[in-house]
Amino acid sequence: MRIMRSVAAVAVGLGFMAATVTVGTLVASVLIGGGTADGRPSTTAMATYLYVNLAICGIGAILGGWLAARIASFAPYGHASVMAAIVAVSSITTVTGAPAPSQPGWYPSALGLVAVLGVLVGGKLRAAAASAAGPVVA
């Protein structure tokens, strides 16, 4: 049963992170807008979108890592670390590939780094809160 809870903790953390980033990105793209007459985004709107997207990715990663650590029945930071490893492996192609034409060269690497570090920060926050609260008696 413990292994099922561990798998569920990481899966829920990943799913929550993906949902947060997806919804946040869609909302940001609608709110920022800023297209030119030919339908392409302006330089200012694109730069704003990229920075907002990095922030959304970081927030989603922190929340996902926190949630994975919260659901885990033991080793909360270990579960967040496993989630961070999965995020790192799944982002290898994005990080090592060429950026989209409208993106600066640093953006894919920054996105991967923010995602992995965000998951670790979220897991660390939850693990610190759990250790400060003391042992749980069931």
Side-chain angles (χ1 to χ4, degrees), residues 4-133:
M4 295 295 286
R5 185 159 180 162
S6 292
V7 170
V10 173
V12 169
L14 286 168
F16 189 82
M17 178 182 168
T20 302
V21 171
T22 301
V23 171
T25 302
L26 289 172
V27 169
S29 65
V30 168
L31 292 178
I32 293 172
T36 59
D38 61 357
R40 295 176 23 165
S42 68
T43 307
T44 305
M46 182 52 94
T48 303
Y49 173 77
L50 293 177
Y51 289 117
V52 168
N53 198 30
L54 281 173
I56 291 168
C57 179
I59 291 167
I62 290 169
L63 293 174
W66 186 92
L67 188 60
R70 172 67 181 93
I71 294 172
S73 59
F74 65 97
Y77 190 68
H79 286 78
S81 297
V82 168
M83 183 178 157
I86 292 170
V87 169
V89 169
S90 66
S91 65
I92 285 176
T93 55
T94 302
V95 170
T96 58
S102 59
Q103 297 174 349
W106 55 265
Y107 183 71
S109 298
L111 200 58
L113 187 64
V114 165
V116 171
L117 291 178
V119 170
L120 293 174
V121 166
K124 190 67 172 174
L125 289 172
R126 176 58 194 157
S131 68

